[in-house]
Amino acid sequence: MKKLLNIASFILLGIYFATVLTEAQAISWYRIQEMFYFKSFHMYGLLGSAIATGALSLWIIKKFNIKSVNHNPIEVKDKPFQWKANLGGGIIFGLGWGLTGACSAPLFISLGINWKIGILLLIGALAGTYLYGILKDKLPH
Amino acid sequence: MKNEPLAWYIAGPLIGLIVPLLLLLKEKQFGISSTYRFLISGFTKKLGYFNYNREQDAWQFYFAIGLVLTGLFYNLNGYDLNALKTTVGGFGGGDVMHYVSTSGFYDLSNWAIFLFGGVLIGFGSRYSNGCTAGHCIMGMSQFSLTSFIATIGFFIGGLIATYFIIPYLF
């Protein structure tokens, strides 16, 4: 029962996130194209205010030492600094983002909206992940 | 179907709220793309990268189920990705739209773009150790240099795709 509730809570948070993203049209190739053509402020406003909200929340949590609902202190870890991988992988990811208009969340959302397109994206993403698993030790990190 | 998106100054903060929501309710740092690794390790653990404690990423998979369910809900209500063609800010003389066939970008005739683009999304997000969720939103909220570099990479790649690849694909 506890495990089911745990799973359900993540699904609910996913539904919350996907609803906002879809209503804001951040899942649309057209909005992403406008962003990269610097023709619309919409996506920049979205990303900027999302980051500002996230940063402010983290600051408040730290400042007032706010605990989680399970009374644990909140720990925020930094991802390892691997600039070659962060930049190189980032550029490759960006190419996919620019081509398809999808990053990871829109990929899963589009699986529900239009499964034929979504499944192509997902198969591709899984193949790409597998390829990374093969090449990982040969790549600069 | 309405074409106006939810205003950025409302939607943006709601997106950012996922960071404290996940931390305070579930003690998790926001991210999505580890789901790919989680899924593959469910099939095969032959490669070292997939032979790991996959339970740590299970929550991202559950989160992704919520994403798919939401898409399905919109689908059942007649949501069409191609209906978003009307621009928010304008493309300035439609200099992009003429690339796209009348049926719109979301058409199976573009299957190779989705498949190959998906490969780049999967490979790139694992190589850079995060995607727009984990790096752009979570990492940038932490002022993490790692995520700042990754985000710059995302935009370099996106700009290359937009200016130097997409115009030649249609």
Side-chain angles (χ1 to χ4, degrees):
Chain A
M1 191 61 200
K2 210 177 164 200
K3 186 160 189 229
L4 271 178
L5 273 176
N6 183 42
I7 292 174
S9 63
F10 284 118
I11 293 178
L12 280 175
L13 284 165
I15 290 174
Y16 163 78
F17 190 69
T19 306
V20 179
L21 229 54
T22 309
E23 287 300 320
Q25 298 184 0
I27 61 164
S28 165
W29 180 82
Y30 300 103
R31 296 294 89 79
I32 305 296
Q33 281 287 292
E34 284 168 355
M35 173 179 76
F36 285 131
Y37 273 104
F38 302 100
K39 295 285 188 188
S40 164
F41 182 72
H42 182 70
M43 286 301 301
Y44 295 100
L46 269 186
L47 280 171
S49 57
I51 293 165
T53 306
L56 184 66
S57 310
L58 291 181
W59 183 79
I60 291 172
I61 288 172
K62 208 173 162 192
K63 172 97 180 164
F64 298 100
N65 198 18
I66 298 173
K67 304 276 196 295
S68 75
V69 288
N70 289 328
H71 313 291
N72 291 318
I74 301 291
E75 276 178 61
V76 182
K77 290 190 198 106
D78 274 339
K79 295 189 179 200
F81 181 75
Q82 304 169 313
W83 73 268
K84 287 176 201 148
N86 301 139
L87 187 65
I91 291 173
I92 294 170
F93 175 84
L95 284 169
W97 188 23
L99 279 177
T100 66
C103 43
S104 292
L107 187 151
F108 287 107
I109 298 170
S110 63
L111 197 61
I113 294 181
N114 185 334
W115 69 270
K116 287 176 191 164
I117 302 243
I119 206 84
L120 287 168
L121 285 165
L122 183 63
I123 290 172
L126 292 179
T129 303
Y130 194 76
L131 191 64
Y132 175 69
I134 296 173
L135 298 177
K136 186 174 182 285
D137 296 331
K138 298 190 181 81
L139 294 165
H141 278 80
Chain B
M1 191 175 133
K2 74 177 168 67
N3 277 332
E4 272 303 300
L6 186 60
W8 65 263
Y9 47 84
I10 298 171
L14 288 176
I15 290 171
L17 272 183
I18 197 68
V19 169
L21 280 175
L22 272 170
L23 279 172
L24 295 173
L25 298 177
K26 310 302 300 179
E27 299 170 21
K28 299 288 182 199
Q29 286 183 229
F30 184 44
I32 294 174
S33 60
S34 295
T35 305
Y36 307 138
R37 186 186 187 190
F38 173 84
L39 284 173
I40 290 186
S41 75
F43 290 104
T44 170
K45 287 178 179 286
K46 244 185 243 169
L47 290 164
Y49 183 61
F50 301 112
N51 187 11
Y52 78 119
N53 174 24
R54 68 196 289 269
E55 276 311 302
Q56 70 187 49
D57 289 335
W59 73 270
Q60 290 197 9
F61 172 66
Y62 305 140
F63 189 88
I65 291 176
L67 302 178
V68 178
L69 287 177
T70 309
L72 205 57
F73 174 80
Y74 277 95
N75 180 7
L76 295 175
N77 283 284
Y79 194 93
D80 175 10
L81 284 164
N82 281 318
L84 305 179
K85 253 196 267 189
T86 15
T87 57
V88 175
F91 272 120
D95 50 358
V96 171
M97 283 311 142
H98 73 270
Y99 298 138
V100 183
S101 66
T102 43
S103 51
F105 176 71
Y106 292 95
D107 189 275
L108 279 182
S109 61
N110 293 332
W111 65 271
I113 298 177
F114 293 111
L115 192 62
F116 183 65
V119 174
L120 296 171
I121 292 169
F123 185 89
S125 64
R126 295 333 303 145
Y127 188 20
S128 80
N129 197 16
C131 62
T132 17
H135 276 315
C136 273
I137 296 177
M138 183 68 213
M140 293 284 276
S141 295
Q142 295 165 244
F143 302 110
S144 144
L145 181 63
T146 303
S147 295
F148 184 69
I149 290 174
T151 302
I152 288 181
F154 297 163
F155 273 84
I156 293 175
L159 290 170
I160 293 173
T162 302
Y163 288 95
F164 300 111
I165 303 178
I166 285 188
Y168 303 101
L169 288 181
F170 293 100

